[in-house]
Amino acid sequence: MCLAVPGRIVRWLNRDATFAQAEVEFDGVSRVCHMACVPDAEVGEYVIVHAGMAISRVNEAEAQRTLADLARLSELDADEEPAS
Amino acid sequence: MKFLDEFRDPALARRLLDDIRDRVTRPRVLMEVCGGQTHSLLRYGIEAELEGTVELIHGPGCPVCVTPVEAIDFAVELASRPEIVVASFGDMLRVPGSTRSLADVRSSGGNVRIVYSPLDAVELAKNEPERQVVFFAVGFETTAPATALAVLQAAKLRLDNFTLLVAHVRVLPAMETLMSAPDCRVEGFLAAGHVCTVTGFGEYDDFVQRHRTPVVVTGFEPVDLLGGILDCVTQLEESRAEVTNQYARSVERSGNEASQDIVRQVYDVADTPWRGLGVIPRGGYRLRPEFQRFDAAERFSGLISLQAVSPDSRSNDECRSGNVLSGRLKPVDCPAFGTHCTPESPLGAPMVSSEGACAAYFRYQSLAGH
Ligand code: SF4
C-alpha cells in the first residue's frame, strides 16, 4: 500500500491549490493524478505517485549521483581485493 | 521504465552483494521497516543471498496488518447498512475482522467499493449525494496526505455525506516501541523510503543518537535495498551510527513540505492502537477538532460503537501476527503458515495484504533458500 511509482507529467489539467490535477504517464499508461503536493512540478518531470496523488518530484541528478556512488564504491572494493 | 530499470541492474546488484559479504565481519541484524521492502527482498531473493551475513527482520510496516480489529468491525457494520457505502483500498477487503471481513459483507450484499485513491471516494460522495460515503483511511505517513487532501476537498465542496474512518499510523513511534523491547535484536534500520518522501528524515536524528543505531533511508528496488544494507553494515563495522539517505532521488532531508502542511491542517498526532503491538504513544493521527464532522466514528457513533466487543473476546489464538509484526517470529515458523493459513484462507492480515510478511513468504517461498 505504500507502493508508489515514478511517472512523467504529460500535462497539467488544473492548478487550483486543493484540486490540482495533471495527466501522468506510467510506462505508456496515462492516469489523472492529484498534484496539490507538487505545485511547482513541470511537464516532462517525474513525480512519485501514491494513492492517486503525487507526493514528491524525482530528482534526476540525485538518481545519477546515487548510481555513480554505488558503482564507485563497488569498484573500489573490487580494486582493493587483489591487494589485500 | 526510467528510475526503475537502472535500480534493477543485475550486475550492479551482484557487485553490491559481494561488497556486503566482504564488509561484514560477523552476522548483522537489520530491520527493514516497510512491507513493500519486505516483498522486494523476497521477490529478488536478496534475503536468501544474504543468509549467514545479514539477517533481515521484517518490520511492522504493513498498514493493513496493524489496523485494529475494532476498526475493521466498525467498517463491516457500516457497510451492512443500506444507506452507507464503505470505500477502501483493495488490500483491506479480505482482512479478517472478529467475525467477518469487508469482502464477506460485500458478498452478502453490503456496500463496499474498492478505490485506488481516497480522492476517488470524494468523487463518489459528490456523485451519489443520497448515500453516506465512508473512506477507510489506513496507511502510514505516505498515505495521510491523500486522505487529508480528501477532507480538504470535501470541506471545499461542502459535502455532508463524506467521512473518514481514520486508522492512520506513524512509523517512527513504532520503531521506538520495538527498540525499547528488552529482547530487541535490531542493530540498524532501513527506514521506509516513501514515508520519508513525505516526512523527510530530520526526525530520525534524535532516535539515532539515543539508540546508537544507524538508520538508512532506503528505496524499494534491488539496488536501492542493497545500497541501503551496504551503507548500514558499513556504519556498524566502523562503529558509527548516523542517519543517511540512499533514496535521494525521491527523499529530501526536509521531506515534502506541501504534504506535511496538508496533514497538519487536518490531523493531530495521537496515541493509537496497533494490531499486535498495542497502543503506541503518538503512533497515529486523529482528525483535528475543526474537521470532526468528517469523522465516521463520530458521525455514526449512535449507530455502532467502536468498542462494541471487548478486544479479548476477539483474539484469534492461532494467528501469531503480533510476533511477526514485531520481528520476533519468521512467518515460516508460525505453525499455521501454509497449512491453516494461506492467502486463499488467511487467518491474519499479514497473509492477506500485498505488503504482509506472511504473504511475501508464501508467494516467494520457492525462491527462498536458493
Ligand atoms: S502465517 Fe497466518 S496465522 Fe501465522 S502469523 Fe502469519 S497471518 Fe497469522
Side-chain angles (χ1 to χ4, degrees):
Chain A
M1 240 195 53
C2 278
L3 184 72
V5 281
R8 192 177 57 88
I9 303 173
V10 178
R11 65 190 171 108
W12 278 88
L13 303 173
N14 160 9
R15 298 193 92 138
D16 177 87
T18 312
F19 294 93
Q21 285 186 320
E23 193 183 316
V24 179
E25 187 201 287
F26 306 89
D27 222 356
V29 183
S30 284
R31 194 159 210 166
V32 174
C33 295
H34 293 266
M35 302 294 277
C37 296
V38 291
D40 304 323
E42 282 158 30
V43 169
E45 230 183 298
Y46 280 74
V47 285
I48 300 275
V49 175
H50 169 70
M53 179 159 113
I55 51 171
S56 78
R57 298 156 76 168
V58 184
N59 186 321
E60 168 113 49
E62 288 293 353
Q64 294 313 329
R65 195 195 321 241
T66 301
L67 287 169
D69 283 353
L70 290 176
R72 185 158 355 102
L73 213 74
S74 50
E75 269 154 27
L76 274 180
D77 261 35
D79 291 348
E80 277 165 13
E81 254 164 52
S84 62
Chain B
M1 178 82 191
K2 195 169 169 183
F3 297 120
L4 292 181
D5 295 341
E6 313 90 293
F7 291 91
R8 290 176 182 164
D9 174 13
L12 181 53
R14 220 161 295 124
R15 293 214 313 261
L16 291 168
L17 268 173
D18 288 341
D19 286 350
I20 294 167
R21 293 194 190 102
D22 287 349
R23 193 97 19 127
V24 165
T25 55
R26 65 171 174 85
R28 297 293 185 176
V29 181
L30 308 183
M31 175 177 273
E32 88 281 2
V33 173
C34 172
Q37 294 170 326
T38 307
H39 269 251
S40 287
L41 288 168
L42 286 152
R43 176 171 169 196
Y44 293 102
I46 295 174
E47 180 177 79
E49 285 285 348
L50 289 175
E51 208 181 317
T53 310
V54 177
E55 181 188 348
L56 289 150
I57 295 191
H58 313 308
C62 163
V64 169
C65 304
V66 302
T67 300
V69 179
E70 290 79 359
I72 294 165
D73 288 348
F74 193 81
V76 162
E77 285 299 324
L78 291 175
S80 321
R81 311 247 161 186
E83 71 281 16
I84 301 174
V85 179
V86 172
S88 160
F89 295 123
D91 269 10
M92 264 336 275
L93 256 65
R94 294 195 313 122
V95 178
S98 54
T99 55
R100 286 184 298 168
S101 67
L102 283 171
D104 295 334
V105 224
R106 188 168 69 160
S107 56
S108 54
N111 301 304
V112 181
R113 307 265 179 95
I114 297 176
V115 290
Y116 164 68
S117 169
L119 302 151
D120 298 342
V122 176
E123 204 60 27
L124 195 67
K126 203 167 88 182
N127 296 337
E128 300 190 21
E130 69 289 355
R131 298 216 206 221
Q132 287 287 330
V133 174
V134 179
F135 181 73
F136 198 171
V138 300
F140 287 108
E141 290 94 328
T142 324
T143 317
T147 63
L149 185 66
V151 169
L152 295 180
Q153 290 193 353
K156 278 222 170 146
L157 295 167
R158 299 179 188 283
L159 296 179
D160 55 12
N161 64 330
F162 178 81
T163 48
L164 293 185
L165 177 56
V166 180
H168 275 304
V169 283
R170 300 173 66 239
V171 162
L172 184 54
M175 288 166 64
E176 199 69 69
T177 299
L178 293 173
M179 272 311 270
S180 55
D183 60 348
C184 179
R185 296 160 53 225
V186 178
E187 296 174 275
F189 285 93
L190 307 183
H194 290 140
V195 165
C196 297
T197 293
V198 170
T199 62
F201 52 90
E203 56 176 3
Y204 290 107
D205 287 342
D206 172 62
F207 177 87
V208 163
Q209 274 169 17
R210 271 185 297 110
H211 297 290
R212 303 278 321 139
T213 304
V215 171
V216 181
V217 178
T218 304
F220 298 81
E221 300 307 324
V223 166
D224 290 319
L225 287 158
L226 291 164
I229 294 168
L230 179 61
D231 186 336
C232 211
V233 296
T234 304
Q235 292 195 43
L236 291 171
E237 291 297 335
E238 295 172 358
S239 303
R240 285 186 290 126
E242 293 163 15
V243 189
T244 51
N245 183 10
Q246 286 290 339
Y247 197 35
R249 66 185 180 283
S250 158
V251 176
E252 288 177 51
R253 188 176 166 83
S254 56
N256 180 289
E257 281 161 17
S259 60
Q260 292 163 22
D261 190 53
I262 289 170
V263 170
R264 259 194 309 266
Q265 281 182 56
V266 173
Y267 294 121
D268 281 328
V269 169
D271 298 351
T272 300
W274 288 50
R275 191 174 193 165
L277 298 179
V279 173
I280 296 188
R282 300 178 59 77
Y285 293 117
R286 64 160 172 251
L287 286 161
R288 290 178 61 89
E290 57 270 43
F291 291 106
Q292 215 85 82
R293 66 186 186 284
F294 294 102
D295 187 349
E298 196 102 323
R299 180 168 307 175
F300 302 107
S301 60
L303 290 178
I304 311 147
S305 152
L306 199 49
Q307 258 84 38
V309 188
S310 88
D312 309 339
S313 65
R314 355 158 143 253
S315 63
N316 176 342
D317 291 345
E318 245 192 308
C319 178
R320 311 270 183 92
S321 70
N323 286 342
V324 169
L325 291 166
S326 56
R328 289 184 177 88
L329 182 75
K330 291 259 170 197
V332 285
D333 297 329
C334 169
F337 179 87
T339 55
H340 299 159
C341 181
T342 61
E344 283 67 49
S345 98
L347 286 178
M351 190 54 99
V352 181
S353 163
S354 60
E355 282 169 308
C358 301
Y361 274 82
F362 192 88
R363 188 151 162 208
Y364 303 116
Q365 210 176 14
S366 55
L367 298 173
H370 287 232

